[in-house]
Amino acid sequence: MTGRSTLNDLETPFLAVNQATVAANIGRLRKYLDELGVPLRLHVKTAKSLDVAALLHDEQPGSITVSTLAEAEVFAGAGYRDIVYAVGIAPHKLARVVALRQRGVDLVVLLDSVEQAAALATSRAGMAGIPALIEIDCDGHRGGVRPDDPALPVIARTLADGGAEVRGVLVHAGESYYADGVEGLRAAAENERQCAVQAAEVLRVAGHEAPVVSVGSTPTAHFAVDLTGVTEVRAGNFVFFDLVMAGIGVCSTADLAMTVVTTVIGHRLDKGWILTDGGWMATSRDRGTARQRVDQGYGLVADLDGNLYPDLLMSDASQEHGVLSLRPGSTAALPDLPVGTRVRILPNHACATAAQHDQYHVTEPDSTAVVAVWPRVQGW
Amino acid sequence: MTGRSTLNDLETPFLAVNQATVAANIGRLRKYLDELGVPLRLHVKTAKSLDVAALLHDEQPGSITVSTLAEAEVFAGAGYRDIVYAVGIAPHKLARVVALRQRGVDLVVLLDSVEQAAALATSRAGMAGIPALIEIDCDGHRGGVRPDDPALPVIARTLADGGAEVRGVLVHAGESYYADGVEGLRAAAENERQCAVQAAEVLRVAGHEAPVVSVGSTPTAHFAVDLTGVTEVRAGNFVFFDLVMAGIGVCSTADLAMTVVTTVIGHRLDKGWILTDGGWMATSRDRGTARQRVDQGYGLVADLDGNLYPDLLMSDASQEHGVLSLRPGSTAALPDLPVGTRVRILPNHACATAAQHDQYHVTEPDSTAVVAVWPRVQGW
């Protein structure tokens, strides 16, 4: 298919990725963090693609974060040796961790409680020789221990007693996805940093080396102004960006590198609807912008060249149908999109939309020719 | 893996399907429609599984509905010869339709406008010899023409002039998913029937044979009391059912045949949270019950034997994390679920949750042994 298909003849719906936009997004963040003197550890959970990671790492395997052991295994197979598995480890998953480490991968696990540390130490595989990061909670978003929680040094001690290596701390400012504006984003980044550094200091006072102080989220990575004490920044969404990130001011809609291409299959002009063959199976059910100031429905709508139709939204979805209509209150005219017209949907949440597909169709600027097909890692 | 794995040792998250419950759901609807004298045309879009379809068709290929041409191609490969593609056909997809018909498959397409009929007739593949159903709108839910729309006979004429076969009409009472209670469901079913029969009559008066009068949705299929004039009923969700269907009274939670198995990885007892390794990647972002009287979050929570924990919901999700907590206002105690405990999540929307996975792990009653692994059709 490579080099012969175009966005005009592939079977819809499908994912289109603008390679130059991905490269620009990667270049921008790498430059920003280079100036702050901290390396970027790509989170591969968004793209789940060796080809996307290669754009960051200049074709050489670098340091990555994964959300599943399936990602770790695929990237290990491609030569990646420096991997953080950033979801709290379930005891039964240690056997796969051990197998990867025996292949020479420095795979690091995550946990956040004494109970979990004890369960890991006494599990069948055990924790002997396995490096662990302790998850720190900086904003009440999800898991993690607070840096001043007396459990923190007990977790570290339990790990060390079980033969594990206390590699350090990991913080994810999940609430930064709900920040808005520069000041809020900067504050979220500084809070993330302070919590991480404080927690690492607790571990060092308790006698652990804790060399790694890992922070990150796409919003905080782009708005940190000081990363003193931090040893790495994790981010993943930024490779594609999405409408949620645009909504909080981390990017503009022009930075969105991934869209869903769908075909118009009908009209209900009495209702102001244009129907397409791209439903939630193609976009996901994610409606992240519903919580933002501007609700973008299931996504904004552009032509194949990327020009947005004014006020046109994908306003509703069933499994294999999309409904396009004007934003409520709009005075724009419904565009004339005859049956067979192809449009691009700019998604709410790149991670969720990408997960509905098994590959990306890659284009270069000012062309609809597909120059590559990039597969995605599937499953767990 | 078959016959050796159990729900206790498979990698979480994964889909578990209770085969006896699927068989009971199928048997119930088949008996109901047998008594009404109308055949069931299974919609395979929910399960996307040859194995599930085989339970309805007694291992012999029967009549099915598909939501993608990928489904049509996989089922055709397994011997299915009677297939309705129930999404409005995009002109560029006719080539695949023709290829399937050349393999001996009676594949029927759907459309709902003069514009579309004309675009199909003049497309590269053309409509010569292709049977088409005209989509009828009975409740304003999505696409289709009203049975009294003057466009209806024009669509049929345009099809006939293009050499297509006017096979009949197809109606889907999409709004029945928002009905509630027996009377509302019966009214939706009767309205669906009346619209279909009225539209078919319009076509027959205009000189078309229109032998097929196809209706269906899981809610209306279970509540129709008279199907006079209808030649087939389509339904798909009922093979698994889900919390949305339970919420409108089409089934009980005991009828839910498919669950997501996840593992507890931590606790935030200060917040009343139990954390699992099953996030929206495993359940989908579908929150269909949010619009119902009782919001079930991302799902109800049961133990591996299927016993529901009182008032426990999967209340929040990130990509690979689930949060379990008590229903707001509950006086129940948070159950003691140590790290490593496995739970089942009963999903909002079976079609969307199943779509996050590529296979089902199948069990029999009162056993956690996996007796079969059923693959799902992927993509478009």
Side-chain angles (χ1 to χ4, degrees):
Chain A
M1 171 181 299
T2 303
R4 296 178 43 197
S5 294
T6 78
L7 302 186
N8 283 300
D9 53 29
L10 286 168
E11 193 66 79
T12 53
F14 64 89
L15 289 182
V17 164
N18 187 324
Q19 182 167 355
T21 309
V22 177
N25 292 342
I26 287 174
R28 189 186 311 114
L29 183 59
R30 192 159 65 169
K31 179 167 181 290
Y32 188 76
L33 294 176
D34 278 352
E35 288 169 3
L36 288 171
V38 179
L40 172 60
R41 177 184 289 277
L42 180 69
H43 202 321
V44 304
K45 81 182 182 96
T46 302
K48 299 202 182 207
S49 158
L50 290 167
D51 303 284
V52 169
L55 291 178
L56 173 63
H57 293 126
D58 303 323
E59 309 292 335
Q60 296 301 313
S63 67
I64 59 168
T65 316
V66 298
S67 69
T68 65
L69 289 174
E71 293 163 24
E73 288 159 354
V74 169
F75 277 80
Y80 284 77
R81 291 291 174 269
D82 179 2
I83 304 179
V84 169
Y85 174 40
V87 175
I89 182 84
H92 75 271
K93 289 179 176 157
L94 279 179
R96 285 169 77 189
V97 171
V98 169
L100 278 163
R101 292 191 58 80
Q102 285 171 347
R103 289 167 59 186
V105 178
D106 183 25
L107 180 63
V108 180
V109 303
L110 184 70
L111 79 171
D112 70 353
S113 70
V114 177
E115 176 198 13
Q116 196 177 9
L120 292 166
T122 58
S123 70
R124 203 179 311 171
M127 279 293 281
I130 298 180
L133 294 170
I134 301 175
E135 186 172 8
I136 307 300
D137 171 25
C138 73
D139 55 13
H141 177 68
R142 194 169 60 202
V145 287
R146 296 287 309 176
D148 59 356
D149 189 321
L152 176 55
V154 186
I155 297 169
R157 174 54 43 210
T158 309
L159 283 171
D161 289 349
E165 175 197 341
V166 181
R167 183 67 65 91
V169 296
L170 179 147
V171 189
H172 170 61
E175 289 299 304
S176 68
Y177 287 76
Y178 310 103
D180 196 353
V182 172
E183 288 313 308
L185 290 162
R186 284 188 182 156
E190 175 58 13
N191 177 60
E192 187 182 55
R193 182 194 77 82
Q194 284 184 8
C195 285
V197 169
Q198 181 187 345
E201 188 56 27
V202 168
L203 296 183
R204 289 167 189 158
V205 166
H208 307 281
E209 194 173 351
V212 170
V213 181
S214 179
V215 304
S217 71
T218 281
T220 56
H222 287 78
F223 283 86
V225 292
D226 172 18
L227 288 170
T228 305
V230 166
T231 65
E232 65 180 33
V233 171
R234 307 178 322 282
N237 178 285
F238 74 99
V239 298
F240 295 150
F241 280 129
D242 53 34
L243 293 176
V244 166
M245 287 297 111
I248 61 173
V250 178
C251 66
S252 76
T253 56
D255 299 321
L256 269 61
M258 184 192 78
T259 52
V260 183
V261 179
T262 71
T263 302
V264 173
I265 58 169
H267 301 87
R268 288 294 300 261
L269 294 178
D270 55 321
K271 299 192 171 217
W273 290 352
I274 300 168
L275 300 174
T276 76
D277 67 354
W280 56 251
M281 187 67 84
T283 61
S284 90
R285 273 291 200 194
D286 199 292
R287 289 278 292 97
T289 60
R291 292 181 292 206
Q292 297 190 323
R293 267 181 313 187
V294 179
D295 184 344
Q296 309 283 26
Y298 281 91
L300 295 174
V301 187
D303 65 20
L304 280 194
D305 295 329
N307 305 301
L308 289 169
Y309 293 104
D311 282 347
L312 193 64
L313 302 181
M314 179 170 156
S315 52
D316 203 357
S318 48
Q319 186 162 339
E320 299 291 351
H321 294 82
V323 176
L324 313 183
S325 63
L326 293 173
R327 187 185 299 283
S330 170
T331 56
L334 194 68
D336 179 27
L337 302 179
V339 166
T341 305
R342 292 174 176 229
V343 298
R344 292 176 184 257
I345 308 299
L346 282 63
N348 277 256
H349 187 175
C351 310
T353 300
Q356 303 297 112
H357 299 261
D358 59 5
Q359 58 188 17
Y360 306 99
H361 296 275
V362 182
T363 60
E364 292 179 336
D366 304 319
S367 167
T368 60
V370 173
V371 297
V373 176
W374 293 343
R376 276 176 56 85
V377 181
Q378 304 286 312
W380 289 271
Chain B
M1 172 182 297
T2 303
R4 297 177 43 196
S5 294
T6 77
L7 301 186
N8 282 300
D9 53 30
L10 286 169
E11 194 65 80
T12 53
F14 64 89
L15 289 182
V17 164
N18 187 325
Q19 182 167 356
T21 309
V22 177
N25 293 342
I26 287 174
R28 188 185 312 114
L29 183 59
R30 191 157 68 168
K31 179 167 182 290
Y32 187 77
L33 294 177
D34 278 352
E35 288 169 2
L36 289 170
V38 178
L40 171 61
R41 177 184 289 276
L42 180 68
H43 203 321
V44 304
K45 81 180 182 100
T46 303
K48 298 202 182 205
S49 158
L50 291 166
D51 303 284
V52 168
L55 292 177
L56 172 63
H57 294 126
D58 303 324
E59 309 291 336
Q60 295 301 312
S63 66
I64 59 168
T65 315
V66 298
S67 68
T68 65
L69 289 174
E71 293 162 23
E73 288 160 352
V74 169
F75 277 80
Y80 284 76
R81 290 291 174 268
D82 180 2
I83 304 180
V84 169
Y85 173 39
V87 176
I89 182 83
H92 76 268
K93 289 179 177 157
L94 279 179
R96 284 168 78 189
V97 171
V98 169
L100 279 163
R101 292 192 58 80
Q102 286 172 345
R103 289 167 60 186
V105 177
D106 183 24
L107 180 63
V108 181
V109 303
L110 184 70
L111 80 170
D112 70 353
S113 70
V114 177
E115 177 199 12
Q116 197 176 9
L120 292 166
T122 58
S123 69
R124 202 177 313 171
M127 279 292 281
I130 298 180
L133 294 169
I134 302 175
E135 186 172 9
I136 306 301
D137 170 25
C138 73
D139 56 13
H141 176 67
R142 194 169 59 203
V145 287
R146 297 287 308 176
D148 59 358
D149 189 320
L152 177 54
V154 186
I155 297 170
R157 175 53 44 209
T158 309
L159 283 171
D161 288 349
E165 176 197 342
V166 181
R167 184 66 68 87
V169 296
L170 179 147
V171 189
H172 169 62
E175 290 298 304
S176 68
Y177 287 76
Y178 310 102
D180 196 354
V182 171
E183 289 313 308
L185 290 162
R186 283 187 181 156
E190 176 58 12
N191 178 59
E192 187 181 55
R193 181 192 77 81
Q194 285 183 8
C195 285
V197 170
Q198 181 187 345
E201 189 57 25
V202 168
L203 295 183
R204 288 166 189 159
V205 166
H208 307 281
E209 194 172 351
V212 169
V213 181
S214 179
V215 303
S217 72
T218 281
T220 55
H222 287 78
F223 283 85
V225 292
D226 172 17
L227 288 170
T228 305
V230 166
T231 66
E232 65 180 34
V233 171
R234 307 177 323 281
N237 177 286
F238 74 98
V239 298
F240 294 151
F241 281 128
D242 53 34
L243 293 177
V244 165
M245 288 297 111
I248 61 173
V250 178
C251 66
S252 75
T253 56
D255 299 321
L256 269 61
M258 184 193 77
T259 52
V260 183
V261 179
T262 72
T263 302
V264 173
I265 59 170
H267 301 86
R268 289 293 300 259
L269 293 178
D270 55 321
K271 299 192 171 218
W273 290 353
I274 299 167
L275 300 173
T276 75
D277 66 355
W280 55 252
M281 187 66 86
T283 61
S284 89
R285 273 290 200 195
D286 199 295
R287 291 278 291 97
T289 60
R291 294 181 291 207
Q292 297 189 322
R293 267 181 312 190
V294 179
D295 184 345
Q296 308 283 27
Y298 281 89
L300 295 173
V301 188
D303 64 21
L304 281 193
D305 294 330
N307 305 302
L308 289 170
Y309 293 105
D311 282 345
L312 193 65
L313 302 181
M314 178 171 157
S315 52
D316 204 356
S318 46
Q319 186 162 338
E320 299 290 353
H321 294 83
V323 176
L324 313 183
S325 63
L326 293 172
R327 187 185 299 282
S330 169
T331 56
L334 194 68
D336 179 27
L337 302 178
V339 167
T341 305
R342 291 174 177 230
V343 298
R344 291 176 184 258
I345 308 298
L346 282 63
N348 276 256
H349 187 175
C351 311
T353 300
Q356 303 297 111
H357 299 261
D358 61 3
Q359 57 188 17
Y360 306 100
H361 296 276
V362 182
T363 60
E364 293 178 334
D366 304 320
S367 167
T368 60
V370 173
V371 298
V373 176
W374 292 345
R376 273 177 57 84
V377 181
Q378 303 286 313
W380 288 270

